[in-house]
Amino acid sequence: MTDQTEKIFTFENMEQQTKLAGPQDQLLVLIEEALSVRLHVRGNQVAIQGDSDQASLALAVLQALVALVKKQIHIGPADVISACTMAKKGTLAYFTDLYSETLIRDHQGRPIRIKNYGQRQYIQAIRQNDVTFGIGPAGTGKTFLAVAMAVAALKRGDVERLIITRPAVEAGESLGFLPGDLKEKVDPYMRPIYDAINRLLGPNHAERLLDRGVLEIAPLAYMRGRTLDDAFIIMDEAQNTTNAQMKMMLTRLGFGSKMVVNGDPSQIDLPKKVSSGLLVADRILSGLNRVAFVHFDSADVVRHPVVGQIVAAYEAADQAQER
């Protein structure tokens, strides 16, 4: 067992302390929980108590976060969790690099940046490949970052339209029994997509793009028989596609287009004897030229820290059941 120790971190000024500690020291509490240490604020210093290795990680995290504060970058809970996760993975040296680039600004002018090393690999894969698969649990930013990359590509003029699709209802796409027209039937299942689009473009701009056909949000069944040229295509919830549906969608890719396929294998709603098209694609398409697979895990979750713990607990339970 590693010896217990105490390390000291010193704030250079009150601004650093205020921004890094957060309201009622909430950000410091996140570091305590993530790294199993105790942090005590004493004047302009933080005493870090705990296992020697963990205390060293906590000190490194505070130093990395202060480097962002010095660049006038706002620090929030997601940033703290990302720094702690990268420290545990041994990738903290890349942390400040994540903030060197803004992917796009939302409709209120706020910068959208990647939050961890997994997201960095995902963004690089999208840039360098024609088809990118993002596979992993909820909360890892797969859908939102894909939409951000799509909107950025549209604004640059790299593509002429955005096409976003997903299996509309749990695998079956049986929309007929629902009331209303197609849009009213589909909208509840597309809400995460609309939320991302509205944050990036604003509701009014998004509505105009929908009216002009520049933005299309539709169930997977409506992609059949089409060739999608000069488009940025996102297929979400791909774990609920059958093998035939996945093959159909992948073969829609046209010239001048990019496609991002996202899914969470832990949330497959297909009948037990039906194979997920996402899992089959992961098995048979890996290694193809201009096709990339990026796998996220619970450590890449950028929502509330307890979400990552919940995901990890379910993963452990599933593995135990398999054994």
Coordinates of all heavy atoms in Angstrom, one line a residue, residues 9 108 199 203 237 319:
F9 N -0.9 22.9 -2.9 CA -1.1 23.7 -4.2 C -1.4 25.1 -3.8 O -2.2 25.4 -2.9 CB -2.2 23.2 -5.1 CG -2.4 24.0 -6.3 CD1 -1.7 23.9 -7.4 CD2 -3.4 25.0 -6.3 CE1 -1.9 24.6 -8.5 CE2 -3.7 25.7 -7.4 CZ -2.9 25.6 -8.5
Q108 N -25.2 31.4 -29.5 CA -24.9 32.5 -28.5 C -23.5 32.8 -28.4 O -23.1 33.6 -27.6 CB -25.4 32.0 -27.1 CG -26.9 31.8 -27.0 CD -27.4 31.5 -25.6 OE1 -26.6 30.9 -24.8 NE2 -28.6 31.8 -25.3
R199 N -29.2 24.2 -30.2 CA -28.1 24.9 -29.4 C -27.1 25.5 -30.4 O -26.6 26.6 -30.1 CB -27.5 23.9 -28.5 CG -26.3 24.5 -27.7 CD -25.6 23.5 -26.8 NE -24.4 24.1 -26.3 CZ -23.5 23.5 -25.5 NH1 -23.7 22.3 -25.2 NH2 -22.4 24.1 -25.1
P203 N -33.1 28.0 -32.7 CA -34.4 27.4 -33.3 C -34.8 28.1 -34.6 O -35.3 27.4 -35.5 CB -35.4 27.7 -32.2 CG -34.6 27.8 -30.9 CD -33.3 28.5 -31.4
E237 N -28.3 6.2 -32.9 CA -28.9 5.0 -32.3 C -28.8 3.8 -33.2 O -29.7 3.0 -33.4 CB -30.4 5.3 -32.0 CG -30.7 6.5 -31.1 CD -30.2 6.1 -29.6 OE1 -30.2 4.9 -29.3 OE2 -29.9 7.1 -28.9
Q319 N -20.5 -8.1 -17.5 CA -19.3 -8.9 -17.6 C -19.4 -10.1 -16.6 O -19.0 -11.2 -17.0 CB -18.0 -8.1 -17.4 CG -17.8 -7.1 -18.6 CD -16.6 -6.2 -18.2 OE1 -16.0 -6.3 -17.2 NE2 -16.4 -5.2 -19.1

